[in-house]
Amino acid sequence: MWQTNEMGGGNLNISVQQMSLMPSDDYICIDIRGETAYQHGHIPGAVCWNGNEESLKRFSEYKKLIVYCTYGEKSIVTTEKLIQKGFEAYNLSGGYREWLLHCFKELDAEEVTRYDRQIILPQIGSEGQKKLKSSSVLIVGAGGLGSPAALYLAGAGVGTIGIMDGDTVSVSNLQRQMIHNMETECVNKAESAKLSLQKLNDRIDIRAYPHALTADNAEEIISKYDFIIDAADNFETKFLINDACVLLEKAFCHAGILQFEGQVMTYVPGNNPCYRCVFEEIPESGSIPNCSQAGIIGAVAGIIGSIQALEVVKYLLGAGELLTGKIFVLDGLSMRTRIVRFSSKNESCKVCGNHKTITNIRENADEYMRKACGLT
């Protein structure tokens, strides 16, 4: 085996540039970040190593070992141990992050720096960031729920974000709709939101739809996106989003807020109950108060809208457990949360049940034109 470490005058570190000048047959990269992080992105040809000394036998004694972790700090200790075992080992200076900055073609240096804190997460990595960049999300409603959802998705680097709202910004919105400000008073909310998102992240595509979602435009617009966020402030639109997504086989996340309470559920095409499975019919006008009647604390909108953004990220990455077949319920006053579970579809559901009656959005347009009270 190699008995000495000679590169750089005894220095344990090797730079990405130095590594790139070495013949690829002369070294093996050793990734010590763990299996999950490795699966979500690694240096090509690298070997994932858990520290098991028995597995050292698979490393050729005639090759140099270049060890890396996320930032090149923890891997120094491993490098020293390998040298003690007789290997010619080097620590990759700056770690995997430094390699991303120099070698990852799909993300430029500015993007790697911008998304650094999430790229290092084992569930995301470079491959996950690529997925976010190539994904598209439509947010219906740029109010209390849509504001935090849009901001966090833009911050996370979702490549294309559509935001739809036919309303204009008023001062009374600013208590909870943080994507807007006093300078955009009387401006269409979708356009106002676009301005804020562009200032936050100019590396993504923001598309404003300065009008309401209707039975006439729902299928055309929703079909263009990978995931839909229901951040609407009325029941008609919520049922329209549900029905269109079910028929188009699109995943979406519903949420509602009122006073100090909020709820979230996610639908993914398959054998999962949809919003209509649970709530069945649009409530009669006036039967449920809206936020202007009953009030809403802005922080609850922030929490629930952020949960919607988290559901989107998990769905796009295929990570974690989604709120499918269940509703997350928050009581902000007591800070109690609970999960209400629904084991299967509602067989009598009008849009996904065994005897569904809604097969065309436009043919069912009258139902979406009622004037019931909203939730956001």
Side-chain angles (χ1 to χ4, degrees):
M1 291 186 180
W2 296 91
Q3 298 299 316
T4 60
N5 185 323
E6 299 175 349
M7 185 174 289
N11 188 350
L12 293 181
N13 289 315
I14 183 174
S15 69
V16 174
Q17 293 92 333
Q18 287 175 306
M19 185 177 75
S20 66
L21 296 174
M22 296 169 60
S24 59
D25 290 340
D26 285 359
Y27 66 90
I28 299 174
C29 286
I30 308 298
D31 188 324
I32 66 166
R33 296 173 301 149
E35 182 67 28
T36 302
Y38 178 85
Q39 293 297 334
H40 283 80
H42 56 267
I43 296 175
V47 175
C48 182
W49 188 50
N50 62 5
N52 186 341
E53 293 189 8
E54 287 295 320
S55 63
L56 286 174
K57 297 176 182 178
R58 60 180 169 157
F59 302 145
S60 171
E61 62 184 45
Y62 302 108
K63 289 191 177 184
K64 303 175 180 67
L65 304 182
I66 299 178
V67 187
Y68 71 90
C69 58
T70 302
Y71 290 112
E73 297 170 350
K74 295 180 179 179
S75 48
I76 291 177
V77 176
T78 301
T79 302
E80 293 174 338
K81 290 181 178 179
L82 288 172
I83 291 173
Q84 292 171 4
K85 293 289 183 182
F87 288 92
E88 182 176 3
Y90 301 94
N91 178 62
L92 184 62
S93 180
Y96 183 63
R97 179 184 182 277
E98 191 68 20
W99 179 84
L100 282 173
L101 285 170
H102 287 85
C103 303
F104 196 66
K105 297 179 181 179
E106 288 84 351
L107 300 172
D108 61 35
E110 195 277 339
E111 288 176 303
V112 172
T113 301
R114 175 185 288 269
Y115 307 124
D116 174 65
R117 295 302 188 272
Q118 63 189 44
I119 288 177
I120 66 174
L121 293 172
Q123 297 83 356
I124 298 182
S126 55
E127 293 302 313
Q129 194 62 51
K130 283 167 53 181
K131 288 180 181 179
L132 295 177
K133 184 177 181 178
S134 64
S135 297
S136 59
V137 177
L138 174 67
I139 304 171
V140 183
L145 294 169
S147 291
L151 288 167
Y152 278 111
L153 292 177
V158 172
T160 302
I161 297 176
I163 190 156
M164 172 180 284
D165 202 309
D167 199 5
T168 57
V169 179
S170 68
V171 173
S172 64
N173 299 144
L174 304 183
Q175 163 260 2
R176 66 198 177 281
Q177 301 178 16
M178 300 306 177
I179 203 167
H180 311 299
N181 57 70
M182 294 179 65
E183 294 180 1
T184 58
E185 184 180 2
C186 299
V187 175
N188 171 266
K189 287 185 178 180
E191 297 289 357
S192 171
K194 180 178 179 178
L195 292 173
S196 294
L197 296 179
Q198 288 175 328
K199 290 179 181 178
L200 175 64
N201 191 347
D202 61 358
R203 310 304 295 270
I204 62 177
D205 180 22
I206 310 297
R207 302 174 184 177
Y209 298 89
H211 51 76
L213 187 74
T214 68
D216 288 330
N217 63 30
E219 292 180 311
E220 179 185 357
I221 296 174
I222 287 175
S223 64
K224 299 176 181 178
Y225 290 87
D226 299 320
F227 194 99
I228 314 300
I229 286 185
D230 164 19
D233 63 357
N234 63 85
F235 287 111
E236 292 83 7
T237 304
K238 291 181 180 297
F239 275 83
L240 173 58
I241 292 170
N242 175 84
D243 296 352
C245 286
V246 171
L247 294 178
L248 292 170
E249 297 186 342
K250 294 286 184 177
F252 77 94
C253 182
H254 151 79
I257 52 175
L258 195 68
Q259 297 182 336
F260 285 85
E261 299 180 355
Q263 64 184 35
V264 187
M265 70 171 286
T266 296
Y267 169 81
V268 175
N271 196 35
N272 301 299
C274 70
Y275 178 77
R276 191 181 282 274
C277 283
V278 179
F279 298 102
E280 297 189 352
E281 300 289 346
I282 298 174
E284 293 295 328
S285 178
S287 62
I288 298 178
N290 58 26
C291 290
S292 64
Q293 297 167 328
I296 176 66
I297 188 70
V300 169
I303 293 169
I304 299 300
S306 297
I307 291 175
Q308 287 188 286
L310 181 58
E311 286 290 280
V312 174
V313 171
K314 290 190 298 180
Y315 173 81
L316 296 176
L317 296 176
E321 182 180 342
L322 295 169
L323 290 169
T324 51
K326 52 198 169 190
I327 298 179
F328 170 87
V329 181
L330 167 71
D331 180 344
L333 282 177
S334 65
M335 288 311 296
R336 292 192 181 94
T337 61
R338 60 192 176 99
I339 299 289
V340 181
R341 299 181 183 276
F342 301 90
S343 58
S344 60
K345 292 182 179 181
N346 183 340
E347 294 183 0
S348 62
C349 178
K350 291 166 61 176
V351 72
C352 73
N354 293 336
H355 305 288
K356 57 185 179 182
T357 57
I358 298 175
T359 58
N360 185 292
I361 295 298
R362 292 186 178 181
E363 291 178 359
N364 198 53
D366 289 347
E367 180 172 5
Y368 313 121
M369 295 176 65
R370 298 178 191 169
K371 296 185 178 181
C373 294
L375 275 173
T376 64

